[in-house]
Amino acid sequence: MANTAQARKRARQAVKLNAHNSSQRSALRTAIKTVRKAIAGGDKAAATQVFQATVSTIDRIADKQIIHKNKAARHKSRLAAALKALA
């Protein structure tokens, strides 16, 4: 248990920050799943459109350092490769 006022405040802030970051990571996972689903659907035009929105989401979350920039690049690369393989 936090003993000082400063430690109590940091504990409160940590809870809020954790909740925010968790929701951001959840939004990232959801965006990636929507692209995977669109690719599985077979419609390249629709999948490309969803991919563009997801890349924006991935970059935004990486800029906030919620995920590492290399992880963001890896996700984008794998989604792009899957989209390119869709013939």
Side-chain angles (χ1 to χ4, degrees), residues 69-80:
K69 61 183 175 67
N70 290 358
K71 181 174 182 174
R74 183 172 64 244
H75 279 301
K76 292 190 297 184
S77 175
R78 288 179 181 170
L79 291 173

Side-chain angles (χ1 to χ4, degrees), residues 3 8-9 16-18 24 27 29-30 32 34-35 37 39 43 52-53 57-58 60 65-68 71 76 83 87:
N3 291 323
R8 285 191 291 272
K9 181 176 179 180
K16 289 169 86 171
L17 186 63
N18 182 268
Q24 294 289 303
R29 291 186 198 110
T30 302
I32 290 170
T34 56
V35 175
K37 192 179 287 187
I39 291 171
D43 185 8
Q52 292 295 332
T57 302
I58 292 171
R60 188 170 59 249
Q65 297 180 349
I66 294 171
I67 63 168
H68 195 274
K71 181 174 182 174
K76 292 190 297 184
L83 187 62

